[in-house]
Amino acid sequence: MSIVPFPDRSSGYDPPPALSLHAMELSRNLRVDSVSRLQPSPPLAADAGKTVADAVAALRRRNVSCLLVTRAGKLVGIFTERDLLKRVLAPGKPLDTALEQVMTPDPVTVQPKDPVKVAVKRMEKGGYRHLPVVDAANRPVGILSARKVVSYLVEHFPGLVHNQPPTLNKFPDAAEGA
């Protein structure tokens, strides 16, 4: 089976009406549904003065891959497994290093009432797997994972998600199966 580029509308191709309706419904729901609808996970937070060893122990206890770093209850950073690898282990820093020295400072955030579309765009633009969810005073209230976003899409639009080709913008040139 060979893969050929998926024709766009300029080539005269029009998607089936059902696909267009699903895409329009998806677009509307991404604008209307809020981040809180995705049920962000409760945040795991640690004070900026805690050590990397403390953070790693907390990550292992909760079996998660990131924690939010706070100072006086307000978000100042995020510490992820990627930070551990790139900013601690690779340069050979000791595990008693303070989180504030190796965290990602001022992370991109969303608020519970922000549309899902905003969260998706921010995650896509920055290549983030997690977004802190904060209140108006910048206090952590949750953490939104890419897994929650994908679950939302599959739950609300299973046909649209499950029927996507493995390579976007390409389709098989011949039908498969009997």
Side-chain angles (χ1 to χ4, degrees), residues 30-109:
L30 289 172
R31 286 189 319 271
V32 172
D33 287 346
S34 68
V35 166
S36 61
R37 173 112 190 241
L38 300 180
Q39 299 175 337
S41 303
L44 174 61
D47 187 80
K50 293 284 187 181
T51 67
V52 169
D54 294 332
V56 170
L59 292 171
R60 291 183 67 194
R61 261 192 318 277
R62 291 265 303 265
N63 194 28
V64 294
S65 60
C66 72
L67 65 78
L68 304 181
V69 183
T70 59
R71 186 175 292 116
K74 298 192 187 244
L75 183 70
V76 294
I78 188 169
F79 182 75
T80 67
E81 290 173 333
R82 194 177 292 171
D83 293 321
L84 176 64
L85 292 171
K86 292 173 114 178
R87 297 178 179 188
V88 179
L89 299 177
K93 290 187 177 180
L95 294 180
D96 63 356
T97 302
L99 276 177
E100 62 191 339
Q101 294 178 14
V102 293
M103 69 183 183
T104 300
D106 303 315
V108 173
T109 63

Side-chain angles (χ1 to χ4, degrees), residues 119-153:
V120 170
K121 281 188 173 196
R122 289 179 184 170
M123 291 175 104
E124 179 186 22
K125 183 178 179 187
Y128 308 128
R129 293 178 290 187
H130 298 93
L131 276 184
V133 182
V134 297
D135 63 14
N138 203 38
R139 292 183 303 252
V141 295
I143 188 88
L144 182 62
S145 67
R147 180 177 288 151
K148 292 265 186 175
V149 173
V150 170
S151 293
Y152 167 84
L153 293 172

